[in-house]
Amino acid sequence: MQTRAPAEPDVREFEATVERVERGSTNGTDVVLDHTYFYAESGGQPADRGTLAGVPVTDVQHTADAVVHTLTEAPDLAAGDDVVGVIDDDFRTYCMRAHTASHLLYGAGRHLLDDLGYGGFGIGSEKVRVDFATTTEIDDTVLVELERLTNRAVWDSRSVSWEEVPVEEARARDDVAFNTKTEEGVMDDADTVRLVDIEGWDVAACGGTHVSNTRSVGPVEVLDRSNPGEGLTRVEFAVGPPAIDRRATVREAALDAAHDLGTGLDTLDDAVADLRAERDDLEAAAQSYKSEVLGARLTALPTTEREGAVWRVGTVSGFGPNEVGEAAQDRVGDGTDVIAVVGEGPAPYVVVATAGEECVDAGDLVADLTDEFGGGGGGGPTFAQGGGLDADPEAVVASLRD
């Protein structure tokens, strides 16, 4: 026995006869009816909510030969009793809109994406996901266009219909989208498959509940994208009230940003681009100034002469080892044969740059220092660095000067 919900999704209250009542596998009671309009969880759409005989229904599932309604408590029912089922109108309506919106989004994908395949879908309480199997990169521009086309299809008030067709006929059609994870297992044992057709937009094998016209979907707001698996791009969206709330939040943020930048929404992107360019210029100027300061500090390091070579040895603070390493390599030579710098801070490091291996082997020197003071590092004859020294920086400097 199959649920009648997909065929008659607008039914919210019905009478049926109880076939059996039994203790459920969880903390509830399972009831099987001679027929039902409750949607049983499948294909990414959750089970309907509602009541049977006034008792809340917590779950609805398909078994091999029945649709099982799980209730929160044991009702005063027995086989042969007549019962009234009431389906939660708000939740059913939301699922109908959300499921139809997923088909609209996939139809939009048909216009934009190459090698398109259907990777799955799921309805959550606040958002819906559609997984696209495509070779097209779904970047921000594509994401915006998917949303635009989806909402245009809503606005166009396209009719939505469904019918059972022979399986082989459905498989032979190039325009039918199949979710292989949720459809093929059913189709293997069936003579027919249910096709949902959005007029001039999308056709898909689907057993869910849908609205009869796209205008009933309401606004669709694309939220984000992610990669759930190889070859898949997941697009998440909100529909109905969550979409309205999301749109209001985004618009408020855009208006606040425009106000802060002294511009309007139409020119917000230009204002942000100008601000980013200004930030980049400031960062470049700050980096240039920082490099000058570091260079001056290295040049001002005390000198010592060892075996005919001039060494500059000392400490610096406020700079990382890579920054110091680059600056030391740039400034070694021109009267300075070796620059050896110890970084101050909770985890001291050492950097050694030389004008040539005939002065000293930088790698060997750093190895000797890490043997003496701990830590680790490495490098070649003309440049090496080590980190994690377990010593006061001045002690390391004193060792370098000896």
Side-chain angles (χ1 to χ4, degrees), residues 240-251:
I244 294 172
D245 293 343
R246 162 79 176 192
R247 190 164 293 177
T249 299
V250 172
R251 183 169 180 81

Side-chain angles (χ1 to χ4, degrees), residues 149-386:
L149 289 175
T150 298
N151 282 289
R152 182 53 194 260
V154 172
W155 178 260
D156 288 341
S157 299
R158 297 174 183 268
S159 65
V160 184
S161 59
W162 43 85
E163 64 173 338
E164 296 284 339
V165 303
V167 169
E168 293 308 316
E169 177 184 326
R171 290 187 185 279
R173 290 176 55 173
D174 293 334
D175 62 334
V176 177
F178 291 99
N179 177 358
T180 57
K181 292 182 179 179
T182 60
E183 299 293 345
E184 284 186 354
V186 176
M187 291 168 57
D188 286 343
D189 299 324
D191 296 325
T192 63
V193 61
R194 182 170 180 266
L195 298 186
V196 175
D197 188 341
I198 300 178
E199 180 186 10
W201 191 256
D202 184 71
V203 184
C206 179
T209 59
H210 297 273
V211 300
S212 60
N213 192 286
T214 60
R215 64 173 173 265
S216 299
V217 170
V220 176
E221 182 87 356
V222 171
L223 305 176
D224 203 358
R225 64 184 178 277
S226 60
N227 298 103
E230 185 176 355
L232 294 177
T233 300
R234 174 167 295 170
V235 175
E236 295 179 324
F237 66 91
V239 63
I244 294 172
D245 293 343
R246 162 79 176 192
R247 190 164 293 177
T249 299
V250 172
R251 183 169 180 81
E252 182 179 18
L255 287 169
D256 287 345
H259 179 267
D260 290 342
L261 294 176
T263 188
L265 287 180
D266 292 343
T267 54
L268 180 59
D269 55 344
D270 292 333
V272 171
D274 291 342
L275 186 64
R276 185 182 296 112
E278 181 180 350
R279 179 204 63 190
D280 292 344
D281 290 343
L282 289 173
E283 287 183 351
Q287 185 59 43
S288 177
Y289 174 73
K290 191 176 181 181
S291 296
E292 290 178 8
V293 170
L294 177 57
R297 290 186 183 179
L298 295 186
T299 302
L301 290 176
T303 61
T304 186
E305 186 172 333
R306 294 179 57 177
E307 299 179 359
V310 177
W311 290 45
R312 290 192 180 275
V313 181
T315 63
V316 296
S317 62
F319 298 91
N322 292 334
E323 293 175 304
V324 174
E326 291 179 7
Q329 290 178 89
D330 288 341
R331 285 163 179 78
V332 75
D334 295 330
T336 301
D337 301 301
V338 180
I339 297 179
V341 184
V342 180
E344 297 179 349
Y349 62 85
V350 61
V351 168
V352 178
T354 76
E357 57 185 296
E358 65 275 2
C359 304
V360 66
D361 188 300
D364 290 344
L365 180 57
V366 167
D368 291 341
L369 290 171
T370 55
D371 285 344
E372 181 179 356
F373 298 107
T382 60
F383 178 75
Q385 63 185 48

Side-chain angles (χ1 to χ4, degrees), residues 106 108-119 131-138 174 177-178 230-233:
Y106 189 84
R110 291 178 186 265
H111 291 78
L112 299 174
L113 309 176
D114 297 325
D115 303 319
L116 182 60
Y118 191 56
D131 293 341
F132 293 102
T134 178
T135 57
T136 301
E137 179 186 359
I138 301 182
D174 293 334
F178 291 99
E230 185 176 355
L232 294 177
T233 300

